[in-house]
Amino acid sequence: YDFNITDLQVEIVYPKPYNILTGTLSSNTTLSATSDYLLSGTVIVPSGVTLTIPAGTRIYGATSPAGALLIKQGGKIDAQGTATNPIVFSSEKSTGSRSAGDWQGIILQGNGIQTFGGYGTTAVGEGDVGNFGGTNDADSSGTMKYVRIEFAGAPFSPGNERNCLSLQGIGSGTTLQYIQCHRGYDDGLEWWGGAVNMKYLVAR
């Protein structure tokens, strides 16, 4: 047989050069929109610490150890995208191979009155995230605007899951607007009490 190759094109896909986020943040942290980030395991923003995420930043959740972002009571997130330049949280898998539950989503825990246990007391949040809730319905967990969360959520046991966006006792001082939850495991958004007023939500 006579076999000739006259035109061969090879596409090489290189791994993304991620900046790794892991463990508990020790101080206020500001990300850069010119870098890509990977949540490796549950990344915790503790009390007194603010995580600032500028418009256009891309953050990916690892599949193993499964990525998640947990804003604890007293911690804050300042994630303000724009309509034309949103902040995107997605799966580290390549486009076309992503699916619900690739990573474990975002959890905000506040000091507001919660509905998961006794009125005005603390409770243990779903997804093994520790205590939340209290008596301060004016509490602030920060700001999220123009944020898309994709392919997140995870089961821990029956009726015990993490979602795309879990809101546990979040107070009215928190601003949550223009949030899209896409292809999440379990719920797109789930509330446990609190007093936050959210606007412009999409979940599918």
mmCIF file of all heavy atoms in Angstrom, residues 57-82:
data_model
loop_
_atom_site.group_PDB
_atom_site.id
_atom_site.type_symbol
_atom_site.label_atom_id
_atom_site.label_comp_id
_atom_site.label_asym_id
_atom_site.label_seq_id
_atom_site.Cartn_x
_atom_site.Cartn_y
_atom_site.Cartn_z
ATOM 1 N N THR A 57 -12.155 37.216 37.229
ATOM 2 C CA THR A 57 -11.324 36.136 37.764
ATOM 3 C C THR A 57 -11.979 34.791 37.497
ATOM 4 O O THR A 57 -13.197 34.632 37.590
ATOM 5 C CB THR A 57 -11.104 36.328 39.275
ATOM 6 O OG1 THR A 57 -10.554 37.623 39.503
ATOM 7 C CG2 THR A 57 -10.154 35.281 39.828
ATOM 8 N N ARG A 58 -11.158 33.779 37.182
ATOM 9 C CA ARG A 58 -11.610 32.407 36.981
ATOM 10 C C ARG A 58 -11.022 31.537 38.076
ATOM 11 O O ARG A 58 -9.811 31.507 38.283
ATOM 12 C CB ARG A 58 -11.180 31.876 35.602
ATOM 13 C CG ARG A 58 -11.743 32.660 34.416
ATOM 14 C CD ARG A 58 -13.256 32.509 34.329
ATOM 15 N NE ARG A 58 -13.806 33.090 33.110
ATOM 16 C CZ ARG A 58 -14.278 34.319 33.019
ATOM 17 N NH1 ARG A 58 -14.238 35.117 34.072
ATOM 18 N NH2 ARG A 58 -14.802 34.767 31.894
ATOM 19 N N ILE A 59 -11.918 30.839 38.785
ATOM 20 C CA ILE A 59 -11.511 29.977 39.885
ATOM 21 C C ILE A 59 -12.084 28.585 39.623
ATOM 22 O O ILE A 59 -13.276 28.445 39.324
ATOM 23 C CB ILE A 59 -12.011 30.523 41.236
ATOM 24 C CG1 ILE A 59 -11.480 31.945 41.449
ATOM 25 C CG2 ILE A 59 -11.585 29.613 42.384
ATOM 26 C CD1 ILE A 59 -12.060 32.638 42.645
ATOM 27 N N TYR A 60 -11.240 27.579 39.739
ATOM 28 C CA TYR A 60 -11.638 26.209 39.423
ATOM 29 C C TYR A 60 -11.599 25.357 40.684
ATOM 30 O O TYR A 60 -10.714 25.515 41.531
ATOM 31 C CB TYR A 60 -10.722 25.632 38.353
ATOM 32 C CG TYR A 60 -10.780 26.405 37.065
ATOM 33 C CD1 TYR A 60 -9.934 27.486 36.838
ATOM 34 C CD2 TYR A 60 -11.703 26.079 36.083
ATOM 35 C CE1 TYR A 60 -10.000 28.221 35.661
ATOM 36 C CE2 TYR A 60 -11.781 26.806 34.900
ATOM 37 C CZ TYR A 60 -10.925 27.869 34.695
ATOM 38 O OH TYR A 60 -10.996 28.603 33.536
ATOM 39 N N GLY A 61 -12.560 24.452 40.803
ATOM 40 C CA GLY A 61 -12.590 23.518 41.911
ATOM 41 C C GLY A 61 -11.929 22.209 41.521
ATOM 42 O O GLY A 61 -12.256 21.623 40.484
ATOM 43 N N ALA A 62 -10.988 21.765 42.336
ATOM 44 C CA ALA A 62 -10.339 20.480 42.073
ATOM 45 C C ALA A 62 -11.342 19.343 42.276
ATOM 46 O O ALA A 62 -12.257 19.429 43.095
ATOM 47 C CB ALA A 62 -9.146 20.298 43.010
ATOM 48 N N THR A 63 -11.137 18.276 41.534
ATOM 49 C CA THR A 63 -11.972 17.089 41.726
ATOM 50 C C THR A 63 -11.427 16.210 42.839
ATOM 51 O O THR A 63 -12.185 15.491 43.496
ATOM 52 C CB THR A 63 -12.068 16.283 40.420
ATOM 53 O OG1 THR A 63 -10.752 15.946 39.962
ATOM 54 C CG2 THR A 63 -12.756 17.095 39.342
ATOM 55 N N SER A 64 -10.107 16.247 43.077
ATOM 56 C CA SER A 64 -9.500 15.474 44.162
ATOM 57 C C SER A 64 -8.187 16.136 44.587
ATOM 58 O O SER A 64 -7.286 16.282 43.755
ATOM 59 C CB SER A 64 -9.247 14.030 43.727
ATOM 60 O OG SER A 64 -8.671 13.286 44.780
ATOM 61 N N PRO A 65 -8.078 16.534 45.883
ATOM 62 C CA PRO A 65 -9.169 16.585 46.866
ATOM 63 C C PRO A 65 -10.193 17.625 46.460
ATOM 64 O O PRO A 65 -9.837 18.705 45.983
ATOM 65 C CB PRO A 65 -8.461 16.962 48.164
ATOM 66 C CG PRO A 65 -7.253 17.729 47.724
ATOM 67 C CD PRO A 65 -6.815 17.088 46.430
ATOM 68 N N ALA A 66 -11.471 17.277 46.622
ATOM 69 C CA ALA A 66 -12.558 18.090 46.083
ATOM 70 C C ALA A 66 -12.497 19.524 46.607
ATOM 71 O O ALA A 66 -12.434 19.754 47.810
ATOM 72 C CB ALA A 66 -13.897 17.459 46.429
ATOM 73 N N GLY A 67 -12.520 20.481 45.694
ATOM 74 C CA GLY A 67 -12.425 21.889 46.052
ATOM 75 C C GLY A 67 -13.736 22.440 46.575
ATOM 76 O O GLY A 67 -14.825 22.001 46.180
ATOM 77 N N ALA A 68 -13.645 23.401 47.481
ATOM 78 C CA ALA A 68 -14.797 24.134 47.996
ATOM 79 C C ALA A 68 -14.282 25.434 48.589
ATOM 80 O O ALA A 68 -13.102 25.551 48.931
ATOM 81 C CB ALA A 68 -15.538 23.327 49.066
ATOM 82 N N LEU A 69 -15.179 26.413 48.706
ATOM 83 C CA LEU A 69 -14.841 27.681 49.348
ATOM 84 C C LEU A 69 -15.815 27.882 50.500
ATOM 85 O O LEU A 69 -17.034 27.938 50.293
ATOM 86 C CB LEU A 69 -14.944 28.837 48.355
ATOM 87 C CG LEU A 69 -14.602 30.223 48.911
ATOM 88 C CD1 LEU A 69 -13.170 30.283 49.430
ATOM 89 C CD2 LEU A 69 -14.824 31.296 47.846
ATOM 90 N N LEU A 70 -15.284 27.981 51.718
ATOM 91 C CA LEU A 70 -16.095 28.088 52.928
ATOM 92 C C LEU A 70 -15.795 29.410 53.627
ATOM 93 O O LEU A 70 -14.680 29.628 54.110
ATOM 94 C CB LEU A 70 -15.790 26.909 53.857
ATOM 95 C CG LEU A 70 -16.386 26.942 55.273
ATOM 96 C CD1 LEU A 70 -17.906 27.053 55.226
ATOM 97 C CD2 LEU A 70 -15.946 25.691 56.047
ATOM 98 N N ILE A 71 -16.795 30.303 53.656
ATOM 99 C CA ILE A 71 -16.683 31.578 54.362
ATOM 100 C C ILE A 71 -17.296 31.376 55.740
ATOM 101 O O ILE A 71 -18.513 31.218 55.877
ATOM 102 C CB ILE A 71 -17.413 32.712 53.615
ATOM 103 C CG1 ILE A 71 -17.080 32.705 52.110
ATOM 104 C CG2 ILE A 71 -17.088 34.053 54.265
ATOM 105 C CD1 ILE A 71 -15.634 32.919 51.790
ATOM 106 N N LYS A 72 -16.466 31.369 56.781
ATOM 107 C CA LYS A 72 -16.936 31.110 58.132
ATOM 108 C C LYS A 72 -17.581 32.365 58.739
ATOM 109 O O LYS A 72 -17.467 33.465 58.209
ATOM 110 C CB LYS A 72 -15.771 30.649 59.010
ATOM 111 C CG LYS A 72 -15.163 29.308 58.588
ATOM 112 C CD LYS A 72 -16.127 28.151 58.804
ATOM 113 C CE LYS A 72 -16.328 27.857 60.276
ATOM 114 N NZ LYS A 72 -17.249 26.698 60.502
ATOM 115 N N GLN A 73 -18.248 32.188 59.882
ATOM 116 C CA GLN A 73 -18.822 33.311 60.603
ATOM 117 C C GLN A 73 -17.736 34.346 60.893
ATOM 118 O O GLN A 73 -16.674 34.018 61.399
ATOM 119 C CB GLN A 73 -19.420 32.834 61.922
ATOM 120 C CG GLN A 73 -20.633 31.931 61.767
ATOM 121 C CD GLN A 73 -21.053 31.340 63.104
ATOM 122 O OE1 GLN A 73 -20.297 30.630 63.736
ATOM 123 N NE2 GLN A 73 -22.269 31.640 63.528
ATOM 124 N N GLY A 74 -18.001 35.591 60.538
ATOM 125 C CA GLY A 74 -17.030 36.657 60.750
ATOM 126 C C GLY A 74 -16.063 36.843 59.600
ATOM 127 O O GLY A 74 -15.373 37.858 59.520
ATOM 128 N N GLY A 75 -15.968 35.859 58.700
ATOM 129 C CA GLY A 75 -15.184 36.008 57.480
ATOM 130 C C GLY A 75 -16.018 36.695 56.410
ATOM 131 O O GLY A 75 -17.245 36.765 56.510
ATOM 132 N N LYS A 76 -15.355 37.208 55.374
ATOM 133 C CA LYS A 76 -16.090 37.912 54.321
ATOM 134 C C LYS A 76 -15.529 37.577 52.946
ATOM 135 O O LYS A 76 -14.334 37.330 52.790
ATOM 136 C CB LYS A 76 -16.041 39.435 54.533
ATOM 137 C CG LYS A 76 -16.877 39.928 55.708
ATOM 138 C CD LYS A 76 -16.852 41.437 55.783
ATOM 139 C CE LYS A 76 -17.842 41.958 56.818
ATOM 140 N NZ LYS A 76 -17.586 41.457 58.163
ATOM 141 N N ILE A 77 -16.422 37.616 51.961
ATOM 142 C CA ILE A 77 -16.034 37.521 50.558
ATOM 143 C C ILE A 77 -16.426 38.827 49.880
ATOM 144 O O ILE A 77 -17.511 39.373 50.129
ATOM 145 C CB ILE A 77 -16.694 36.311 49.866
ATOM 146 C CG1 ILE A 77 -16.198 36.181 48.418
ATOM 147 C CG2 ILE A 77 -18.222 36.378 49.938
ATOM 148 C CD1 ILE A 77 -16.611 34.883 47.744
ATOM 149 N N ASP A 78 -15.544 39.355 49.052
ATOM 150 C CA ASP A 78 -15.829 40.551 48.250
ATOM 151 C C ASP A 78 -15.570 40.170 46.798
ATOM 152 O O ASP A 78 -14.452 40.293 46.298
ATOM 153 C CB ASP A 78 -14.949 41.711 48.690
ATOM 154 C CG ASP A 78 -15.278 43.010 47.949
ATOM 155 O OD1 ASP A 78 -16.273 43.020 47.193
ATOM 156 O OD2 ASP A 78 -14.545 43.989 48.116
ATOM 157 N N ALA A 79 -16.590 39.633 46.148
ATOM 158 C CA ALA A 79 -16.481 39.129 44.777
ATOM 159 C C ALA A 79 -17.434 39.926 43.909
ATOM 160 O O ALA A 79 -18.639 39.628 43.868
ATOM 161 C CB ALA A 79 -16.808 37.634 44.727
ATOM 162 N N GLN A 80 -16.921 40.943 43.215
ATOM 163 C CA GLN A 80 -17.772 41.836 42.447
ATOM 164 C C GLN A 80 -17.358 41.814 40.978
ATOM 165 O O GLN A 80 -16.432 42.509 40.565
ATOM 166 C CB GLN A 80 -17.706 43.250 43.028
ATOM 167 C CG GLN A 80 -18.155 43.319 44.482
ATOM 168 C CD GLN A 80 -18.383 44.723 44.978
ATOM 169 O OE1 GLN A 80 -19.047 45.521 44.311
ATOM 170 N NE2 GLN A 80 -17.851 45.044 46.149
ATOM 171 N N GLY A 81 -18.068 40.984 40.212
ATOM 172 C CA GLY A 81 -17.892 40.988 38.776
ATOM 173 C C GLY A 81 -18.773 42.051 38.146
ATOM 174 O O GLY A 81 -19.367 42.892 38.830
ATOM 175 N N THR A 82 -18.856 42.023 36.819
ATOM 176 C CA THR A 82 -19.740 42.926 36.092
ATOM 177 C C THR A 82 -20.541 42.106 35.090
ATOM 178 O O THR A 82 -20.257 40.924 34.859
ATOM 179 C CB THR A 82 -18.950 44.012 35.337
ATOM 180 O OG1 THR A 82 -18.197 43.391 34.276
ATOM 181 C CG2 THR A 82 -17.999 44.754 36.280
#
